[in-house]
Amino acid sequence: MTTYLSRCASREYDLWKYCTKEQIHEMLLSFRLLEGAPVREEKKLACLYAVSNHVRQHYHTAQIVKQSGGVRRLLIPDALLGTIQRNLLHHVLDGFSVSAYATAYKKKATVLDNARAHVGRERIMKLDIENFFSSITYPLIYQSVFPAIYFPPAVRRMLTEFCCYEEYLPQGAPTSPAISNLVMKSFDNYMGAWCEEREINYTRYSDDMTFSGLFDEKKLKRKVRNYLLAMGFELNEKKTRLLGRHTRQTVTGIVVNEKPDVGRAYRRKVRAEVYYCKKYGAVEHLRRCEKKEWMNGGQPDAARYLQHLLGKIQFVLQISPEDAQFRAAREDVQSMMRNI
């Protein structure tokens, strides 16, 4: 292993050994990472180095309530780092392709695309990667996202610094979703090819992996676990699900037994929320519900709640765009939002 790493380091050095400091600076500036930031042209290089050396200081934490309960901790970049990351995303990361088996964080891709591959299959196995974003470390990003063939070492280090928080990928940074797909590209392509040889369908939506067809679940799970362990990931055993043909098969919230569909229970719940908002008004409905996640300083946060409710309606319409009842519900909620 040491010899292999030494050869890799040697090749990287040989590739860029004639690259001057001026050329490195020129490359960094060519990425336009500070486009839109109030930084004078002659100060841009110094600004990039200053931010990359003190990235931690440019984050603050935020918490959001998960639909399944509990709280998700996000790391949000400040205006300057956020600008750098968005430019890095658009001017650099968007130029790299991701695996066809990855269905999240791609332009025009939806959860429906992830579910379609598994409609009407005999068996479905769902696996989850534990602590997905925080398990994506600095070395993984450095090697997989900014390869030596495209970037000299100094540039690789700086770009990797912009994408990390204390040596791992922060959930909440605009670059993190795209980076997660690039890091997982080798896994996705390998598992996808391995599964196709066995007539198994495979897709990955962020940390959720789905396999469908006829397969030996122990052999398949062992194959996935071993590859992930080599990358530094672990399976979340509590979230492993094996669904037979005669059970309710769901993939990223969509029922796929016969055709993509949203479950009846989900529809009923959303319809009920819209009904009570129309009957009592969103503010009064939230007071009656007494749900803490929709309170802000002790007062109902109707704007945020209605935006969330609209998202649920849009999810249903994404699967069933001609559903007249939910199209009417969308208009009702949009009207309530305009009147707040």
Side-chain angles (χ1 to χ4, degrees):
M1 177 63 77
T2 303
T3 304
Y4 171 75
L5 291 176
S6 298
R7 287 201 303 270
C8 289
S10 176
R11 284 199 296 271
E12 177 181 331
Y13 174 76
D14 289 343
L15 183 63
W16 295 106
K17 66 179 181 179
Y18 299 114
C19 186
T20 66
K21 183 183 292 187
E22 289 73 21
Q23 288 170 326
I24 288 172
H25 292 169
E26 185 180 347
M27 178 183 280
L28 285 171
L29 292 173
S30 74
F31 297 144
R32 295 174 289 157
L33 299 179
L34 287 166
E35 189 174 78
V39 180
R40 296 199 306 272
E41 194 66 34
E42 67 274 15
K43 297 288 186 180
K44 285 185 174 180
L45 199 60
C47 180
L48 291 174
Y49 277 101
V51 174
S52 69
N53 289 331
H54 302 92
V55 167
R56 192 180 188 281
Q57 299 175 12
H58 292 269
Y59 281 100
H60 68 272
T61 59
Q63 293 183 338
I64 60 171
V65 179
K66 296 190 286 187
Q67 289 188 17
S68 58
V71 173
R72 176 178 286 112
R73 177 175 175 262
L74 299 180
L75 286 159
I76 310 298
D78 64 13
L80 179 57
L81 179 58
T83 296
I84 291 171
Q85 290 175 338
R86 283 187 292 275
N87 286 323
L88 177 53
L89 175 63
H90 298 313
H91 300 158
V92 181
L93 299 179
D94 281 351
F96 294 110
S97 64
V98 300
S99 173
Y101 302 100
T103 57
Y105 315 132
K106 294 167 69 172
K107 290 179 180 178
K108 298 183 180 179
T110 68
V111 290
L112 180 57
D113 298 315
N114 187 61
R116 277 199 188 104
H118 308 287
V119 172
R121 304 286 283 177
E122 191 66 25
R123 307 174 82 196
I124 291 177
M125 184 163 72
K126 300 193 291 186
L127 302 176
D128 181 88
I129 301 173
E130 189 158 20
N131 299 323
F132 180 52
F133 280 88
S134 59
S135 296
I136 298 176
T137 59
Y138 185 105
L140 270 177
I141 299 169
Y142 184 82
Q143 294 292 341
S144 303
V145 181
F146 304 111
I149 192 170
Y150 298 122
F151 306 97
V155 174
R156 297 176 75 193
R157 286 192 294 270
M158 179 177 283
L159 297 183
T160 304
E161 289 289 350
F162 286 140
C163 299
C164 288
Y165 175 87
E166 294 188 342
E167 304 291 313
Y168 67 85
L169 193 65
Q171 191 169 6
T175 42
S176 293
I179 284 174
S180 70
N181 274 344
L182 292 170
V183 166
M184 295 297 292
K185 183 176 180 178
S186 61
F187 171 86
D188 289 334
N189 287 343
Y190 175 82
M191 283 306 310
W194 187 89
C195 286
E196 283 188 14
E197 289 175 1
R198 293 156 181 81
E199 297 185 347
I200 302 168
N201 286 355
Y202 163 66
T203 60
R204 181 182 58 81
Y205 193 89
S206 188
D207 54 354
D208 296 322
M209 298 166 289
T210 306
F211 304 84
S212 63
L214 288 173
F215 48 80
D216 180 332
E217 64 268 22
K218 290 183 180 178
K219 181 179 179 180
L220 176 55
K221 188 175 180 180
R222 184 168 60 249
K223 191 76 176 177
V224 174
R225 181 192 288 113
N226 288 343
Y227 199 118
L228 289 176
L229 283 174
M231 295 179 69
F233 296 103
E234 292 184 11
L235 286 177
N236 186 338
E237 300 290 349
K238 294 178 181 178
K239 290 190 176 181
T240 297
R241 298 289 184 272
L242 186 62
L243 308 171
R245 189 74 179 86
H246 301 293
T247 62
R248 185 170 176 270
Q249 297 174 324
T250 61
V251 176
T252 45
I254 300 172
V255 180
V256 295
N257 290 72
E258 296 178 3
K259 64 176 184 177
D261 193 18
V262 177
R264 281 178 285 183
Y266 186 92
R267 288 174 177 270
R268 281 197 302 269
K269 185 177 179 182
V270 175
R271 285 199 302 265
E273 290 187 67
V274 175
Y275 170 79
Y276 287 119
C277 283
K278 290 174 65 179
K279 183 175 181 178
Y280 301 114
V283 172
E284 184 59 27
H285 169 55
L286 291 176
R287 285 201 181 101
R288 288 168 176 262
C289 289
E290 296 182 343
K291 291 185 177 180
K292 294 180 180 178
E293 64 265 32
W294 302 118
M295 295 294 174
N296 184 8
Q299 296 299 316
D301 191 343
R304 187 165 59 91
Y305 168 74
L306 289 173
Q307 187 66 50
H308 175 76
L309 182 55
L310 181 62
K312 289 183 173 182
I313 294 168
Q314 297 282 36
F315 174 67
V316 175
L317 290 173
Q318 194 176 81
I319 313 306
S320 307
E322 301 306 317
D323 191 308
Q325 196 171 36
F326 274 84
R327 290 173 73 175
R330 178 175 60 189
E331 292 179 9
D332 289 335
V333 171
Q334 287 174 335
S335 175
M336 289 182 233
M337 293 172 70
R338 287 193 294 268
N339 293 327
I340 290 178

